[in-house]
Every structure is written in C-alpha cells, then in structure tokens.
Amino acid sequence: MGLALEDERGLEEEVELPKAQVFYSQYEYVVGYYGLETFVTAQRSEGHTQQFGYPLTIYVSDYSATDIELNADGYPTVDNQPAWHDAEDAWYVSESDAVAPGGDTVMPFSDREDAHAFAETHDGIVLTWDELLEAEFETDEATAVRDRVDDQHREGDQRVEAATALRDRPVSTVVGEDTDTVQEALEEAPANTTVLVPDGEYEERLEIDRPLTLVGEGNVTIDGGDNGTVITATAERTAITGLEIVGSGSERLGDGDLPGDDPDSDDWDGTFEGNYAGGDAGIGVHSAPGALIEDVTVDDAPSGVILRRSGESVVRNVTIDSPDDLEDGHTGILAFRSPVVIEDSTVLDGRDAIYTHRSPDTIIRNNHLEENRLGVHLMHTSDSLLAENQVRNQSNTGIYIMTGPERNAIVDNVVQNADYALFPSGSSSYIAGNVLTDSHVGLRVDATDTLYERNVIAGNEIGAQTRAMLPTNQVTANDFIDNEIHAEAGTGPLRIWTDGESGNYWQGALPFPGDRSAETTVDRAYSPTAPIDQRLHRVDGTPTLSRAPGLEALSGFQGTVPGMRTGSIVDLAPTCEPNNPDLLEGTVWADRAWSCDRTSHEAQ
C-alpha cells in the first residue's frame, strides 16, 4: 500500500523508500506500507481496526547503517539495504527534505544519533513512535478525488474554450480560389490563419507543419487513397474542423517511424509508443500540443484520431466508424502521452473506442461508445475524469482502467451489456453515480483505497465481484437490484461494505416478515456471499430461514475467527430503500426494488 504501480516502476534502482510491515490480529497476511505516513493515516481511518484488527507487531526500515543520501528529486538512496527494526524502538525524522512519489516521507532510524544527524542535515525534526502516531500528514485520498470533480469539469471547460478559440483565426487561403489543392494552401498560408476548403471531395494526404486552422465549408471529404494517415499535424495549436475523412491505410500497428519527436526505440515504452501511435489513422497529431479536432467524421480507418505527445488538445463532436471487422480496427481515439479532453463524440465498432497511455489529467466526458471491444481503456493514466459517458454493447469491457493508476474519478456513466461493465484498478480513486446493468459482471472491485458510492448495479449476472486482497475500499450507498448474484468475493479477507451507520441497498435484504419498523436500515447485517443471504431476493422462504438460531450462531462464531471469514462480504447496515432514486427513476429497476414497508416477498 502507499505507492502506485506506475510510480514504483519509475523509481531508479538505488532508490529505497521507507517501508513498514504490519502483523494484524485479524488479518492472515502481512501488510506492507510504502511510507510510515501511509500506515499512520490508514490506522486512523474508520473501519480499519474492524477489518484488520490491531497491530501485533510492526517493523520499519532502518536507515542507520545504509549510507543514506537524497538524490536530486529528494528520494532516499542507499549503498546498503535497510534492515527491519521494531517500530516502537525506532526514531523518526519528519518534515525533512526526504520525499517519496506521493510527497514528504518519514525516515526511520534505529539509532537516535543517526536520526538527529539526518534531521540536522536535511532540515527535519525527530519524533518518537508515540509522537509519530499523533502526527498529521497530508494524503491524496479518494475523498479528495471526489471533492475535485467539479474543479476538473471547470478545467475541462477552460481547455475547451482555449482550443475552440482557434476557430476564429482569419481566413488567409481558400482552396479553389487561391490554390488548386488543399496541401498547396497549407503550404502557402501564413501561420495562425485559416485555410478554407469549399464543398467537395479532395483526394489528398495532408501534412500541417505550422499552426493553422483547416476548416471544411459544407460537405467536405478528404480521401487519403488507402495509403497511410490522411491528415498529419506536427505543429502546436493546429485545428481541424468540419471534415469527413476516408481512405486511410490499413496498418493497424506502426513500426516506430513517427513524425515529430521520436521516442527512444531502445526503450520498451518507446517501442510500445511507436507500435501503438505509428499505425494508420484518419488524423495523426504528433508533438503538437494544444490541437483542436472538432466536427470531424472518420470512416473505416484502423484508428480514427491519434494524439501523441500533444497535451492540452481537445477532441469534440467527432464520429469514428471503424472497419467492419473488429480485428482490422485499433483505436477510435488514442491519446499517447497526451493529457486531452475528449467530449461529445461517438465511436462505433472499434477494438478500443478510447485508449489512453501515460496521459494523466485526461477528461473523457459525454461520449457515446457502442459495439466496440473496449469502451474506455486507460493504461498508466492517473488523475483523470471519466464522466457522463454512454457505453453500450461492448464485447469485452465497458470501462477498463489498468496498470495501477491513482486518483481517477469515474462518475455518472451508464454502462450496459458487457462482459465487465466497469473494471477499475489502481488506488485512491472515486467511483460514483454510475449505472451498471445487463452485464456478466457489473462492477469489478480490484482497486485499493477507493471509494465506491451511489452506483446502481442492476440486472447483471454478478453485481459486484471483488478480488482485492486488501480490504481498504469503502463501498457504500450503492443499490444492488435484480442481479442473479448481488456480489461475489474471491479468497482473501472479510470485506465490510459499510461506512459508519451507512450501508448499501440490497434487493431482498428485508426485515423479518411482519416487521413494519419505520427505520431506514434493515435490522440485521447482510452478506451477499453467504449461502442463504445471496438467495433472499430470488428464493421464497429464505427470509425465514435466514433467522434460524443455528445459522445466526454460526455467523457469530465465524465473526470471531479470522480464518473462517475469508472470501466474504458483509454489510453491517443495509438500507431498506434504494439510495439513488434519481438514477432509478423511469427505469425497469425502480419497479423491482423492495422496501422495508413490504411484509414479505409476496407483497412484491
């Protein structure tokens, strides 16, 4: 815990970050933390003790005999591997120049004199273990991601406003009047002006090498003749609007021969970049930040729009219709090392509708994605916002976030009919307000330290499926309705999906028949992974069976023995009414939700 996979892989070999390993009373595995500040913050969080128990023994990295230095980034580097030392007997340097990828980090020493020497050299203060446990640290938690969603939308608006201003450049060159071809116009037009293309079809491949706006007036088609990328832009603040683009080449993957700033082909990531961003496309934007692609249609290209090393660009109101054969397509819109805004666009029939790679701070909102293999596919992409997208009928996964990113917000999306509707990994993300329906698995819970709240998960074979080995997620105020199985857990610890007195709505987790209590929560805990509870919404008679004294006694016994609670989920305060009636309103799921004023299944 405490370090994203992306950051861990990016560390130099000699960097040795402080760690703690903790043996808990109710958890069968040793839990490792990058950063003492990570452990201190985690052990204060609500529900932490309930799921892990109390720390029995804690060991920390010992830098006393390591010849520690700080590199130019402030990361600790060592000549000798730190040993493990009892946390209670160590000395800690806080508020020093030492940092980890997440910010300031605490340095532990077994020798008090070593700690004071480090503090004097690097402007820190020395703390005992008890003092460290009382210290406050700034952390980038999932709640912080929730709190900045509105700011991300505003930032997206600002980026769109800056990009769409490129439409206002004065017209300098008109194709057919000033030049015979579009390419001639692009070569003759002064920088920061507009090239106007009148109605018609133009059989050309275009290259834009200085900041220009290319505008189609009327029905304008650019046909690349089935050879390579149709339009290639290598100048910052390029704008391409009002065009239909056809006739790209058919190469789905490239060979590393890219325009603009070429990556290091000897580097694995550079080779990956050359392959993915080097294929044929309708539009290829390379090393051209601040670009605008708007009101464009791309038909039958392996990739519709490729943006590589072109941050602060905007793609909006674009329609990509991929090749008929899914295997011939690649990506509708691809952003490689390019933080971009992608909005109000449609991608049909592709392999990956929207794909990002190492593109943090990307905003993907209000798009329509249908009949692709993957709808939105994020790789090595943190701090991004996916909002209000309609993602339907993907053959594999609706929204798939891979490779351990951090602090992504996935909010207010509708994902229907996929193998997995929503599959986010990584840590410290915010998943809220999504409607996930009609899929094999509605929600895959693989992330850590992530907040899942106010989602509707309905009509799936499996509502939620968790495989995370660390029970650090907060899952609350969600609605599980009409799933064949509401939730499923793999091997691992007990997962408690309750926040204080707030739980989730589970269709079928009704009070005992005849109980007309006006309380808003069910009068017993609910476990969607328990043999009886998981059938409450599907099999008559199970509510009565669930109250059998023998089953309640067994449940209580299992609750006291950690080894008997593995592979399970428990909601300690399930709600009687759906938590998200606004999301359910007008849907079939609204009519299938049961409430606490129902006295039996027959009342439904």
Side-chain angles (χ1 to χ4, degrees), residues 74-95:
Y75 295 159
T77 64
V78 297
D79 292 334
N80 304 308
Q81 188 75 15
W84 291 108
H85 190 77
D86 190 324
E88 294 185 1
D89 294 333
W91 301 84
Y92 302 89
V93 180
S94 182
E95 302 179 26

Side-chain angles (χ1 to χ4, degrees), residues 249-493:
S250 58
E251 293 298 322
R252 195 163 59 84
L253 299 177
D255 59 4
D257 184 16
L258 296 169
D261 296 330
D262 289 337
D264 183 354
S265 59
D266 294 331
D267 175 72
W268 173 88
D269 209 43
T271 302
F272 192 78
E273 179 177 348
N275 286 337
Y276 270 61
D280 295 335
I283 298 174
V285 180
H286 299 271
S287 303
L292 170 67
I293 313 297
E294 184 178 38
D295 299 329
V296 166
T297 297
V298 180
D299 187 35
D300 200 32
S303 292
V305 177
I306 292 175
L307 300 110
R308 182 183 68 88
R309 299 179 184 252
S310 299
E312 301 302 314
S313 294
V314 171
V315 178
R316 64 194 311 263
N317 197 27
V318 166
T319 299
I320 312 292
D321 199 346
S322 299
D324 292 337
D325 188 342
L326 186 67
E327 293 304 315
D328 292 338
H330 187 215
T331 302
I333 303 170
L334 182 149
F336 210 111
R337 297 186 183 274
S338 299
V340 296
V341 176
I342 302 170
E343 65 178 18
D344 303 325
S345 294
T346 299
V347 182
L348 307 172
D349 302 321
R351 284 173 61 84
D352 292 10
I354 297 175
Y355 175 91
T356 72
H357 188 99
R358 301 197 189 282
S359 297
D361 301 305
T362 285
I363 297 172
I364 301 171
R365 60 186 183 181
N366 200 34
N367 300 286
H368 177 75
L369 314 174
E370 186 146 1
E371 301 286 352
N372 304 282
R373 182 189 66 160
L374 301 177
V376 180
H377 186 188
L378 268 57
M379 293 271 286
H380 301 289
T381 297
S382 299
D383 298 299
S384 294
L385 171 65
L386 279 59
E388 301 174 20
N389 299 287
Q390 302 286 319
V391 186
R392 294 186 169 91
N393 303 319
Q394 313 306 306
S395 63
N396 189 296
T397 303
I399 297 175
Y400 196 6
I401 301 176
M402 300 175 61
T403 59
E406 293 182 301
R407 301 177 300 275
N408 288 307
I410 301 96
V411 299
D412 304 329
N413 302 281
V414 175
V415 188
Q416 295 176 310
N417 192 23
D419 192 11
Y420 290 88
L422 177 54
F423 195 149
S425 65
S427 60
S428 301
S429 291
Y430 178 57
I431 318 292
N434 302 286
V435 178
L436 312 172
T437 69
D438 303 300
S439 298
H440 170 58
V441 176
L443 175 64
R444 178 71 177 243
V445 182
D446 268 18
T448 57
D449 293 314
T450 289
L451 174 56
Y452 302 83
E453 68 175 9
R454 298 188 297 99
N455 301 286
V456 169
I457 303 159
N460 305 285
E461 293 178 35
I462 301 170
Q465 184 181 70
T466 179
R467 293 292 186 268
M469 292 299 291
L470 287 166
T472 57
N473 297 307
Q474 184 174 314
V475 185
T476 184
N478 303 287
D479 296 331
F480 293 84
I481 300 172
D482 210 33
N483 304 289
E484 184 69 15
I485 297 173
H486 282 327
E488 177 186 272
T491 58

Side-chain angles (χ1 to χ4, degrees), residues 6 31 38 100 125 129 143 156 191 198 201 223 244 255 274 290 299 305 321 360 419 471 491 506 509 552 566:
E6 172 83 355
V31 180
T38 303
I125 60 172
W129 176 246
T143 52
E201 183 171 336
D223 187 339
E244 180 182 3
D255 59 4
D299 187 35
V305 177
D321 199 346
D419 192 11
T491 58
W506 308 87
E552 291 194 338
T566 60

